[in-house]
């Protein structure tokens, strides 16, 4: 990253206890940013905060919050405001996925995914962006996915929520790009974090994997370069994302069903 827009800035990162969130915190701290770390795991957050403060001599604040709960976005905003912490960059990274047939998915899991992937992201953007507009500077990085560009059987709700994130982010970018606000929707492909194991996705379905370090570096570079509104990580992922728009939807569903659906022998035994 040649330009450094992050030195001295304060960045709030959701889902910061591991994966892409923790990597965002590390790279931003290395760039001289102060971080506000948000997740459910207090121990992991405090360990990361201590590590970053010691290694990079920056400020690191910890807020424990379960953003799948309806009241959490407002409570988090109020808590940050009470500490008199301004937010220059909001990174909505927290997200949830679940693999399997939709008809047997747990209702609670369905609700959590919608709350976390969509509702919390929207509300946090709505809560934090007005003060950025008042200052005439600031930004938001929304974490979507290459899953956003096509319907994916057996990951139906996850892909749909990420499609929402892309559309919402691009519209917000259009509203505020001329008012000093940067909005970037980062779309990683498969990334080597705990996401797949937690979502129940088999290793054989993890195509073109990237490391969190690579994805975060790409995302921060894209944000600093002021492009957007959407940045897809990986050349092949970008080609596929464009190609999906030219393929008939019916055919696209059949293709993704073949890639992500259960093996034929598994279907026979169910």
């Amino acid at each position: 990253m040649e330009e450094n827009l992050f030195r001295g800035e304060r960045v709030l990162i959701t889902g910061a206890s591991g994966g892409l969130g923790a990597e965002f915190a590390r790279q931003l701290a290395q760039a001289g940013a102060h971080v506000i770390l948000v997740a459910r795991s207090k121990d992991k957050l405090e360990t990361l905060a201590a590590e970053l403060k010691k290694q990079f001599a920056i400020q690191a604040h910890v807020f424990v919050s379960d953003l799948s709960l309806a009241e959490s976005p407002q409570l988090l905003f109020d808590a940050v405001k009470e500490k008199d912490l301004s937010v220059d960059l909001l990174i909505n990274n927290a997200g949830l996925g679940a693999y399997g047939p939709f008809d047997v998915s747990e209702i609670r899991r369905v609700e959590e995914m919608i709350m976390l992937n969509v509702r919390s992201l929207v509300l946090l953007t709505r809560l934090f962006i007005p003060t950025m507009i008042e200052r005439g500077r600031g930004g938001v990085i929304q974490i979507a996915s290459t899953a956003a560009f096509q319907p994916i059987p057996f990951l139906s709700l996850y892909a749909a929520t990420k499609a929402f994130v892309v559309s919402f982010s691009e519209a917000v970018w259009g509203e505020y790009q001329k008012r000093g606000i940067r909005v970037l929707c980062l779309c990683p492909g498969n990334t080597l974090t705990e996401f797949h194991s937690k979502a129940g996705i088999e290793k054989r379905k993890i195509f073109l994997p990237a490391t969190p370090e690579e994805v975060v570096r790409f995302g921060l570079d894209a944000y600093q370069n002021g492009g957007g509104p959407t940045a897809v990580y990986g050349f092949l992922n970008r080609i596929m994302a464009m190609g999906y728009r030219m393929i008939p939807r019916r055919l696209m569903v059949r293709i993704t069903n073949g890639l992500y659906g259960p093996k034929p022998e598994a279907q026979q035994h169910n």
Side-chain angles (χ1 to χ4, degrees), residues 91-134:
I91 301 180
N92 277 313
N93 168 73
L96 177 67
Y99 176 81
F102 181 70
D103 65 293
V104 297
S105 53
E106 296 180 9
I107 295 297
R108 182 180 177 185
R109 189 75 164 175
V110 168
E111 291 176 336
E112 285 179 341
M113 201 182 309
I114 295 171
M115 296 289 281
L116 190 57
N117 295 8
V118 174
R119 187 178 184 276
S120 288
L121 178 145
V122 170
L123 291 183
L124 289 175
T125 303
R126 169 61 183 83
L127 289 165
F128 282 103
I129 209 169
T131 54
M132 298 178 189
I133 295 170
E134 289 176 10

Side-chain angles (χ1 to χ4, degrees), residues 30-252:
Q30 186 175 15
H34 307 297
V35 294
I36 299 173
L37 308 176
V38 181
R40 291 181 297 181
S41 175
K42 181 179 180 181
D43 291 344
K44 290 181 179 179
L45 291 179
E46 290 182 341
T47 298
L48 178 58
E51 170 196 326
L52 298 179
K53 287 189 284 189
K54 181 178 180 180
Q55 186 172 0
F56 301 111
I58 54 91
Q59 299 172 15
H61 299 271
V62 167
F63 289 87
V64 179
S65 178
D66 182 352
L67 290 170
S68 68
L69 302 178
E71 65 274 14
S72 292
Q74 185 67 57
L75 291 175
L76 173 61
F77 175 78
D78 293 342
V80 170
K81 187 176 181 180
E82 186 177 342
K83 292 287 185 179
D84 199 26
L85 299 172
S86 62
V87 173
D88 302 299
L89 171 61
L90 168 66
I91 301 180
N92 277 313
N93 168 73
L96 177 67
Y99 176 81
F102 181 70
D103 65 293
V104 297
S105 53
E106 296 180 9
I107 295 297
R108 182 180 177 185
R109 189 75 164 175
V110 168
E111 291 176 336
E112 285 179 341
M113 201 182 309
I114 295 171
M115 296 289 281
L116 190 57
N117 295 8
V118 174
R119 187 178 184 276
S120 288
L121 178 145
V122 170
L123 291 183
L124 289 175
T125 303
R126 169 61 183 83
L127 289 165
F128 282 103
I129 209 169
T131 54
M132 298 178 189
I133 295 170
E134 289 176 10
R135 296 195 304 265
R137 55 184 294 275
V140 183
I141 297 177
Q142 316 278 33
I143 308 303
S145 168
T146 54
F149 298 102
Q150 69 283 313
I152 304 180
F154 302 98
L155 282 170
S156 56
L157 182 57
Y158 175 76
T161 61
K162 293 305 183 179
F164 173 92
V165 173
V166 170
S167 180
F168 171 71
S169 303
E170 291 179 344
V172 173
W173 173 84
E175 289 186 38
Y176 300 111
Q177 61 169 319
K178 295 183 179 179
R179 299 183 66 179
I181 309 301
R182 296 182 181 226
V183 178
L184 176 73
C185 184
L186 174 60
C187 297
N190 287 308
T191 308
L192 298 174
T193 66
E194 295 180 349
F195 171 83
H196 296 90
S197 60
K198 289 182 178 179
I201 301 173
E202 301 173 41
K203 288 185 178 181
R204 69 182 181 90
K205 300 182 188 299
I206 303 175
F207 310 104
L208 305 173
T211 66
E213 293 83 359
E214 293 168 331
V215 172
V216 169
R217 189 178 305 113
F218 169 81
L220 293 179
D221 283 345
Y223 179 85
Q224 289 199 118
N225 291 335
T230 297
V232 179
Y233 175 80
F235 176 74
L236 290 178
N237 287 329
R238 290 193 288 276
I239 294 297
M240 288 190 290
M242 289 186 289
Y244 292 147
R245 298 178 180 181
M246 296 183 284
I247 298 175
R249 301 290 282 182
R250 184 185 182 105
L251 176 58
M252 191 68 256

